[in-house]
Amino acid sequence: MTRIAIIDRADMNAEQARVYDTAKQTSGIVGGPYHAYIRLPKLFEASQNMRATLASGPLSRREQQIVNLAVARHWNARYPWFAQARNSLSIGIEQAIIDAINARKTPNLADARERTCFAVAKEILANKGLSDESYAAAEKTMGLEHLVALVATVGAFSTTCVTAATFQIDPPADNPIPLAQ
């Protein structure tokens, strides 16, 4: 059960309402951890901006989703897992890949960049960084600018997941792919 009360739009103060309305009109994303962020409208807005910046590239949508799935799984974040599994399916990521990540296994990824995204996310989360060998391999595969985006995606989505997990923000009851125990 969610630990934090959900503030209805009618009960928001002027600044909360402004950032909520802007998010609703632009990305449409106002649920999940944003139920917590709305209490700090500048944080809500900054999070929306970071999400939009990373979503615009340079990582492909599939690469972003693979990172997001790995991060949500790591943090046992139920709402982010729900949202990212749904988003992953909508862009064609195979159910077997989602199921492998959910089971804490390495998914069978044919694309070298996607494999690198998964490996980098897993290693950063497990070890608080990358070994010299992993860094060199990731930079060779991704290029420096894409590696920066990859690392930033791991960090930014970790914030989202930690927030959702801490406040126990739950997915809808009809969650098609629940987070494995």
Side-chain angles (χ1 to χ4, degrees):
M1 171 172 231
T2 301
R3 289 179 166 164
I4 194 166
I6 308 303
I7 301 173
D8 289 326
R9 168 61 178 83
D11 296 327
M12 292 179 186
N13 66 35
E15 187 65 6
Q16 290 170 330
R18 181 189 68 76
V19 299
Y20 178 91
D21 291 346
T22 299
K24 193 83 165 149
Q25 293 167 3
T26 55
S27 70
I29 300 173
V30 295
Y34 293 102
H35 291 305
Y37 295 162
I38 196 64
R39 285 157 174 77
L40 301 170
K42 288 181 181 178
L43 175 61
F44 186 108
E45 197 168 44
S47 179
Q48 288 277 335
N49 291 338
M50 176 72 86
R51 187 202 57 73
T53 297
L54 291 171
S56 69
L59 298 180
S60 75
R61 190 73 176 110
R62 281 182 63 94
E63 291 164 353
Q64 291 171 28
Q65 286 304 126
I66 289 165
V67 171
N68 289 348
L69 287 169
V71 172
R73 175 67 268 189
H74 174 82
W75 291 110
N76 294 323
R78 293 183 307 265
Y79 188 97
W81 175 262
F82 152 75
Q84 298 311 313
R86 182 185 59 192
N87 292 344
S88 295
L89 289 170
S90 76
I91 65 162
I93 292 180
E94 299 80 6
Q95 184 70 52
I97 291 171
I98 297 166
D99 291 345
I101 294 171
N102 198 3
R104 299 185 187 275
K105 296 180 180 170
T106 300
N108 183 10
L109 299 164
D111 182 81
R113 286 178 55 95
E114 291 177 8
R115 284 192 307 273
T116 299
C117 286
F118 181 78
V120 165
K122 289 288 290 180
E123 186 171 335
I124 287 172
L125 293 165
N127 301 334
K128 302 179 184 90
L130 292 175
S131 68
D132 290 341
E133 298 79 21
S134 296
Y135 179 90
E139 185 178 20
K140 182 178 179 182
T141 301
M142 302 300 293
L144 183 56
E145 289 178 4
H146 291 214
L147 181 55
V148 169
L150 170 53
V151 172
T153 300
V154 172
F157 202 62
S158 285
T159 299
T160 297
C161 291
V162 167
T163 300
T166 298
F167 293 106
Q168 296 180 353
I169 298 171
D170 290 325
D174 64 349
N175 182 2
I177 307 172
L179 195 59
Q181 297 298 326

